[in-house]
Amino acid sequence: MADTLLRPDLGVAQAAGDLAAAGSLDAIVSILRRTARAIVGADGISVILREGDASYYVAEDAIEPLWRGRRFPLTTCISGWAMLNGETVVVPDIECDDRVPTALYRVTSMRSLVMVPIGSPEAVAALGAYWCTSVIPDDATICRLEALAQRAAAALARVQVPTGASQVRDATPPAGA
């Protein structure tokens, strides 16, 4: 996957092919977890599923543990905001954006993020990318995340996401393992 960071468009193409062939929610989540971080050069990524009125952080690939396995009300987290509003969110400094629950971030090294909703007209998931420094991602990085989200939305629609998103079996090892 190290090649992907050097050739991110190739990484998006590979992930798109993998998502097109994915036959389950587990496979889709695994593909996003495995590819997104390298494609955008982030310090961490999270795959978040919408579960009723909650954001369920189902998978991650990060330099440290983030929120995998936790649920937050849609109205109190940035992933929920992105899903409820159907908009990509770029936050160069988490301390300066009221949509970010800064107390949750202060216990991590993450300082900036991009959160992309997955699905339309109603988002069923989100893909978050995080950096340890204040970063304003370039348009190409945001486009790559949005392209992954679009491919993931098509894959999720094809496999018909179950209403109980917690059925996903994430085989992600803990960070640092």
Side-chain angles (χ1 to χ4, degrees):
M1 208 27 121
D3 296 332
T4 307
L5 184 55
L6 300 174
R7 298 184 52 155
D9 293 334
L10 184 61
V12 171
Q14 178 64 48
D18 292 348
L19 287 166
S24 69
L25 177 58
D26 289 336
I28 294 164
V29 168
S30 178
I31 292 162
L32 290 173
R33 185 196 59 75
R34 182 176 77 236
T35 62
R37 182 174 170 199
I39 288 170
V40 298
D43 294 316
I45 64 97
S46 290
V47 180
I48 306 103
L49 299 177
R50 186 174 186 164
E51 193 176 64
D53 290 333
S55 291
Y56 174 43
Y57 282 70
V58 71
E60 62 190 29
D61 177 12
I63 61 173
E64 65 184 359
L66 297 172
W67 304 281
R68 192 181 108 213
R70 295 189 59 190
R71 289 170 179 78
F72 303 99
L74 290 171
T75 56
T76 65
C77 63
I78 194 71
S79 60
W81 191 96
M83 286 187 270
L84 290 171
N85 290 280
E87 294 179 26
T88 296
V89 182
V90 177
V91 180
D93 183 346
I94 59 141
E95 297 286 337
C96 299
D97 195 309
D98 293 338
R99 299 170 294 186
V100 177
T102 53
L104 287 173
Y105 282 81
R106 284 190 186 122
V107 298
T108 74
S109 61
M110 303 306 167
R111 295 297 164 249
S112 56
L113 65 91
V114 174
M115 189 65 64
V116 180
I118 298 174
S120 180
E122 183 175 287
V124 296
L127 179 61
Y130 310 92
W131 289 268
C132 293
T133 59
S134 183
V135 171
I136 300 174
D138 61 17
D139 290 342
T141 299
I142 295 167
C143 286
R144 287 192 300 274
L145 278 170
E146 289 176 336
L148 279 176
Q150 289 171 350
R151 295 333 186 279
L156 289 169
R158 193 179 63 256
V159 301
Q160 299 177 6
V161 178
T163 55
S166 59
Q167 298 172 9
V168 173
R169 291 176 305 278
D170 180 29
T172 307

